[in-house]
Amino acid sequence: MKVIASDMDGTFLNDQGTFDEEQFQKQLDQLGEKGMHFISASSNQYQHLLGLFKNVHGPISYVCNNGALVIDERGVIVHEEIIDHLILKKALDWILSTPSFAGAEVILVGRNGTYCNLPEDADRFQASKYFYEDMQSMADLRLVFDSIYKLDITWEEGGVLKRQDEFNHKFSGQLNAISSGMNGLDVMVDGTDKLTGIQMLLQSWNLRLDDVAAFGDNGNDFEMVNAAGEGYAMKNSAADLLQKVEKVTEESNNDQGVQHKIDEYLG
């Protein structure tokens, strides 16, 4: 394996949102010495991912917002996939008027900021600030004119799979919703996912998917895990991913399952 691609929450990170920084610094140094690459492949925005790795030093590439923003080891933007503004407005109109989507917290993740339909004093707004530190409250998200990478839609309760199917039926060929964990959906331009982001990085390195070991724990990880030379669902993965992936890690995210696998690849 020449590339390690890992989801973050529930995969590389433990349930407290941390990892063994000292061990990973050694691993990152060794990966560099061996000409190997590490990709942080996440639904999270770039600024949040940078914060996770602020105490380690070395080349990391980022597939952010489920592939809508790809940044290489030099910090250079390799790809951006922006949602067409008219399609975005149509989607927001539909979300706000569809009964099954009632009560949704909607976050727009943009190039210049992040915008939410909940008031700043709402508990869910404050909880979301862990992932989106620069988030602004907006009375009407249709008035946002930033370039938007992704919609993050979450509910306090209720399953998301039926809502996912309903949304994808409505916006087939334009937008695609995938389950993200934490009772939510991530919505990007149709055809955009973590796998497409990884493929762009591989092309720049003259490498193939056979060279990749990928790790994930949720529905938005399936494409990259399924296509990788060695793709693993975490032991603690969501049931829908475990049903579709052949290889499962022996250890969970709380047992540093990914970091232990990296040690195996480093020999």
Side-chain angles (χ1 to χ4, degrees):
M1 294 295 111
K2 298 177 182 178
V3 179
I4 309 295
S6 180
D7 172 54
M8 292 291 106
D9 297 293
T11 301
F12 188 79
L13 305 177
N14 60 30
D15 289 348
Q16 286 71 49
T18 64
F19 60 98
D20 188 330
E21 295 181 353
E22 184 176 351
Q23 180 190 19
F24 186 62
Q25 183 64 70
K26 294 176 182 177
Q27 292 174 329
L28 204 55
D29 292 341
Q30 289 181 272
L31 289 169
E33 291 168 4
K34 293 177 177 287
M36 299 170 68
H37 305 271
F38 182 82
I39 302 173
S40 171
S42 174
S43 63
N44 291 324
Q45 66 177 159
Y46 182 48
Q47 293 87 341
H48 179 75
L49 296 175
L50 283 179
L52 293 177
F53 294 105
K54 64 183 179 182
N55 295 324
V56 297
H57 307 282
I60 298 175
S61 298
Y62 296 92
V63 172
C64 317
N65 304 316
N66 285 322
L69 175 63
V70 182
I71 297 176
D72 69 12
E73 295 163 335
R74 302 166 297 167
V76 175
I77 294 176
V78 174
H79 179 72
E80 286 185 298
E81 194 68 61
I82 303 298
I83 299 174
D84 178 84
H85 189 74
L86 292 177
I87 294 175
L88 175 64
K89 183 180 181 301
K90 180 180 176 183
L92 290 171
D93 286 340
W94 185 84
I95 290 168
L96 293 171
S97 62
T98 299
S100 59
F101 277 63
E105 175 188 21
V106 182
I107 299 172
L108 303 184
V109 182
R111 181 187 288 154
N112 301 307
T114 309
Y115 316 90
C116 181
N117 66 336
L118 295 182
E120 291 185 7
D121 58 357
D123 290 342
R124 289 164 68 196
F125 182 96
Q126 294 300 320
S128 297
K129 287 183 69 176
Y130 168 74
F131 299 102
Y132 306 111
E133 298 174 8
D134 61 347
M135 193 160 65
Q136 304 172 44
S137 176
M138 296 285 293
D140 189 347
L141 292 176
R142 291 167 292 192
L143 299 179
V144 173
F145 290 99
D146 198 353
S147 297
I148 301 301
Y149 298 124
K150 181 188 81 166
L151 288 82
D152 178 339
I153 311 173
T154 57
W155 292 265
E156 286 191 275
E157 59 184 20
V160 299
L161 294 182
K162 287 186 177 180
R163 290 164 172 154
Q164 176 181 332
D165 290 343
E166 187 177 4
F167 185 94
N168 287 338
H169 177 75
K170 176 67 178 180
F171 292 96
S172 177
Q174 297 178 318
L175 301 172
N176 185 53
I178 50 178
S179 60
S180 62
M182 294 183 288
N183 217 44
L185 295 173
D186 285 335
V187 177
M188 292 78 58
V189 173
D190 192 31
T192 300
D193 53 41
K194 294 180 183 182
L195 174 59
T196 62
I198 290 170
Q199 288 174 311
M200 291 173 188
L201 291 168
L202 292 176
Q203 187 175 9
S204 69
W205 298 329
N206 292 314
L207 296 175
R208 303 175 303 160
L209 284 166
D210 286 346
D211 298 314
V212 179
F215 301 86
D217 76 312
N218 231 301
N220 59 354
D221 300 312
F222 172 70
E223 287 81 8
M224 72 169 182
V225 169
N226 187 53
E230 291 193 12
Y232 288 88
M234 299 301 293
K235 182 179 180 180
N236 54 281
S237 292
D240 63 322
L241 185 65
L242 288 171
Q243 291 171 0
K244 295 188 289 186
V245 175
E246 181 179 344
K247 293 184 178 180
V248 179
T249 60
E250 295 180 2
E251 298 170 304
S252 73
N253 65 316
N254 287 323
D255 299 317
Q256 300 173 3
V258 174
Q259 288 190 260
H260 290 162
K261 290 296 294 184
I262 293 175
D263 278 339
E264 290 182 22
Y265 291 123
L266 289 170

